[in-house]
Amino acid sequence: MIGVEEILIRAYNIFFGASVLFLISVGLNIIYGVMKIVNLAHPAFFTLGCYAVAGFGMGIIINIFGSSSITPILIVPPLFAALIVVIASLLIFPLFLFMSGRGDEVQLLLTYGLLLILEDLFRLIWGSEPLRSSQPYELAGSIYIGEYIVPVYNIYVIVSALTVALLLWFFLFKTKQGILIRAASMDIEMTSALGADVRRVLLITVLFAAFLAGLGGGLYIPSGSVMLGMSVELLVLAFVVVVIGGLGSFLGSLIGSFIVSLLRTITLIIFPELELALIYIVAIIILTLKPEGLGGGRKW
Amino acid sequence: MTVKTGRRDFLKGLIGGLVVGGAVGVAGSEIYRSMIAPPPPPVKEEIPTSPLKAGIQAYLTGGGALWGKPMMQGAVLAIEEINEHGGILGRKINYVVKSETGPEETVREYRTMVLDEKIDFYVGLISSSNTPAVGPVAEELQTLTFFVDGCTDFLFEKAVPNPRFCFRITNIQSADGVSAAVGAIKLLNLMEKDKVRIAHIHPDYAYGRNAHAHMQITFEKVLGRDRVEVVYEAFPGLFKVTDFTPYITEIIASKPDVLASSLWGADVVNFYKQALGYGLFEKMKFVSCIAHAASPAEAVKDFPDGHIAGVHANYFFLYPEWTRYPVNKAFVEKYYRRWGTYPDSPSEGAYVAVYMYKNAVERAYEILGKWPEVDDIIKTLEGMTIYGPAGPIHVRAGTPNKHQCYKDGIVGISKYDPTYGFSILTNPITIPISKITVPEGWEGTPDPKAGTLAYSWISQTWREGELPV
């Protein structure tokens, strides 16, 4: 018998899972939307965000703010991670310029190569053991939903992801830069012909996607751990999200993340054995029946 | 009728008797002397001066690195120690380290080590997916191979049923699940409960499936089938899941008394960290067969107190107690000095593997008087017992599970220790391996469902409702 509490707590899990998936996949979608590059290295930016916090960021933050002041310990790590990832993506921006407009095979090889290089860099810098940084998760504590206990930190992740989604929507649809990004995603030559600095638009796109990945990593890491090889696992999940939701669309990331998270929770209740299989089966069905994805067909 | 003996005959007989008796006496004393005196030393041939080469293969990346790194460190420590003391019969050991990954790539690297690097012996592997893949290749390439882990029963029961070149140090996998379940029943006093509700969470591959089957059959046999109720079972992919919260919720909702688990490496870290936030550990007892087994400083740093701490039925550095068993004390001190951390199951296993090779070579040399051929080393290894840091370890010579090594298992209760700064195993109970594993000479068939001899052996020979140890 499933009561209100049981439904609530599962909804809570679904939103948490969807939030993390959204933060991983949205940057992938933005870069594809504008540059038509399937950036296989994107999840490595998310992982870099995790490493930036767990590897050294949290230590610095605790040194500055102390270990008991909750507000900075919640807010600063994701921003710090985003900053580090933005700096890293600035360094490799020329690579994106080079890839833009070239064939799929060049893009796939280069971005996957980049993912492997980044993974090896992680090993070089942070070693091979999984790292954690759970101070915010512990500091935030837990609350009761009926007789269940749930961690408050997950609520913070959900709220943050929603805020990011709202700001992103506002940015893409209401600001000049956002409109330029969308214009470039529809017809890059026309946008250029109309006098927009396309190079600048591309730079902003790459930095923006990196910012979102870093932010996501910094938000996620207190509730889990970061390890080598994680980028590849995340890549697969992010792909399922965009396949289901639709590649190149902001809305697609939202829909895809929610559906993947929902499917996962439902299979774990009914038949745990099918957890990953069901997600892929749904992805295959959607690819066959509606190749542009559930949120696709429309731009953004 | 009486026979009369004449004087001449008597003399003849006397002389003959003396001659024969003397001859026998001389011969007898020769035989006697040869029995008590040491045999003449075999003519010792010159030992080659070229260095030996060891191949080490370990997870150096991903969720398995918590196991692979200490394994490599254990092997390297043993090699460095041996080299410091002049090598094996004067031959120094060089080594090459390769990465353990999936079965295909792992086999490829193994072949490279044998064919290109020309290793003399091999120490490696953690995963149960990899040993059944590498085992047949080791036999094909005829290379002395010590698997540190990759403990699946499947290796010596099906993949390589009559091994010549492969040996395995860790306790067989079925013993892992059985030890944890027996330990849980004893330490948590489950025999006194009317009914025990059990939930399971295990990684979805050979190891997790095996742990699930053997923990479950042990609970059912020892507690009695009617007293055990399975309320939830889940098998997340190995290192595929970072967000365990949906599992945690389902486990809590199913209200078990005991959560049996063989999650390991990064999975167990993610799981328990997230489960802490959901208050899982206040609602049930967590019975892990493996969480404390490797890199405890990283893996179980703030693990909750009062739960079953499993070490893969192998080794925790505090036991056997140092004052009672100096071999362990010496090992822990040397390991800490070299690597700045405490040893664990995989490092102990790899360390023992290297020393097992050294002992076998030296013993064979004593007998043969020359550097032994690989078959001489194998013959010496079979049936050998050496004293490792975890205690005596025995190499089985006969079937079933020929070339599997056996040592007593250990299970305890988790407790955070400020001296070490991580959760340690306390209240240890030793599980005599002979009581919980298929003995040499047992002729049964593997259970069709669980796929192991141990499962059949337990279900056919254990008495229901009775503890085996």
Side-chain angles (χ1 to χ4, degrees), chain B residues 24-360:
Chain B
V24 168
V26 169
S29 69
E30 264 309 306
I31 291 168
Y32 177 70
R33 198 177 308 135
S34 75
M35 277 167 68
I36 58 156
V43 186
K44 302 240 161 151
E45 285 177 23
E46 215 161 291
I47 296 165
T49 49
S50 56
L52 293 162
K53 195 167 207 179
I56 302 172
Q57 193 170 25
Y59 277 120
L60 300 173
T61 172
L66 284 171
W67 282 70
K69 193 175 163 198
M71 190 183 91
M72 185 196 74
Q73 291 175 346
V76 169
L77 175 68
I79 290 171
E80 287 176 354
E81 263 176 38
I82 291 169
N83 285 344
E84 257 173 51
H85 292 93
I88 302 180
L89 301 174
R91 294 180 76 178
K92 294 271 161 88
I93 311 172
N94 295 333
Y95 63 88
V96 50
V97 180
K98 295 273 180 191
S99 214
E100 176 178 0
T101 43
E104 234 176 84
E105 184 64 23
T106 303
V107 166
R108 200 158 39 240
E109 294 282 34
Y110 178 88
R111 281 185 186 278
T112 315
M113 275 195 272
V114 173
L115 299 174
D116 300 343
E117 304 275 354
K118 308 257 186 285
I119 56 168
D120 295 282
F121 67 102
Y122 167 97
V123 175
L125 298 191
I126 291 298
S127 169
S128 281
S129 304
N130 289 333
T131 44
V134 174
V137 182
E139 297 295 320
E140 172 203 323
L141 299 179
Q142 312 211 329
T143 304
L144 196 53
T145 295
F146 295 93
F147 295 130
V148 174
D149 210 294
C151 52
T152 175
D153 298 49
F154 182 77
L155 174 67
F156 291 132
E157 285 176 13
K158 292 207 182 97
V160 194
N162 193 16
R164 205 171 128 209
F165 297 93
C166 309
F167 293 81
R168 185 170 55 191
I169 306 294
T170 183
N171 266 332
I172 193 163
Q173 210 222 304
S174 45
D176 182 14
V178 177
S179 300
V182 169
I185 292 166
K186 288 182 123 178
L187 290 162
L188 303 174
N189 297 322
L190 297 182
M191 289 300 252
E192 288 160 21
K193 285 181 86 104
D194 293 333
K195 194 124 196 154
V196 181
R197 293 167 63 86
I198 298 176
H200 282 276
I201 183 162
H202 304 274
D204 188 12
Y205 76 115
Y207 174 71
R209 297 282 167 179
N210 181 308
H212 166 257
H214 293 90
M215 283 169 119
Q216 185 58 29
I217 181 77
T218 306
F219 282 127
E220 282 176 12
K221 266 289 173 184
V222 176
L223 296 171
R225 201 171 296 258
D226 302 339
R227 289 164 64 202
V228 174
E229 187 187 349
V230 176
V231 291
Y232 185 74
E233 290 177 332
F235 295 88
L238 178 70
F239 307 142
K240 298 255 182 280
V241 177
T242 43
D243 171 22
F244 280 97
T245 50
Y247 293 99
I248 292 165
T249 310
E250 296 317 316
I251 290 164
I252 294 173
S254 65
K255 298 191 171 50
D257 301 307
V258 159
L259 171 60
S261 168
S262 59
L263 294 178
W264 62 277
D267 281 346
V268 72
V269 178
N270 282 335
F271 179 83
Y272 92 75
K273 293 296 285 187
Q274 291 164 10
L276 279 174
Y278 283 77
L280 178 139
F281 295 101
E282 280 99 67
K283 300 190 170 183
M284 64 197 74
K285 288 294 180 186
F286 186 62
V287 177
S288 167
C289 56
I290 195 167
H292 280 65
S295 302
E298 282 93 25
V300 287
K301 199 171 173 48
D302 49 0
F303 195 83
D305 290 354
H307 297 269
I308 298 299
V311 289
H312 201 35
N314 273 296
Y315 172 75
F316 195 77
F317 71 96
L318 296 172
Y319 313 102
E321 279 177 42
W322 300 345
T323 45
R324 288 186 205 163
Y325 189 63
V327 180
N328 189 30
K329 181 168 187 272
F331 172 61
V332 173
E333 285 171 355
K334 282 183 282 193
Y335 190 91
Y336 191 87
R337 212 174 304 134
R338 177 66 179 85
W339 302 110
T341 179
Y342 293 95
D344 52 9
S345 287
S347 49
E348 195 265 353
Y351 183 83
V352 164
V354 176
Y355 271 99
M356 209 171 245
Y357 174 77
K358 176 176 183 279
N359 277 19

Side-chain angles (χ1 to χ4, degrees), chain A residues 47 65 104 129 166 191 236 292:
Chain A
T47 312
F65 299 101
D104 291 345
E129 282 143 7
L166 275 176
T191 315
V236 176
E292 68 277 16

Side-chain angles (χ1 to χ4, degrees), chain A residues 10 13 128 142 147 264 275, chain B residues 60 243 247 249-250 277 283:
Chain A
R10 274 153 195 151
N13 288 339
S128 56
S142 297
E147 57 175 308
R264 212 180 143 215
E275 188 201 356
Chain B
L60 300 173
D243 171 22
Y247 293 99
T249 310
E250 296 317 316
K283 300 190 170 183

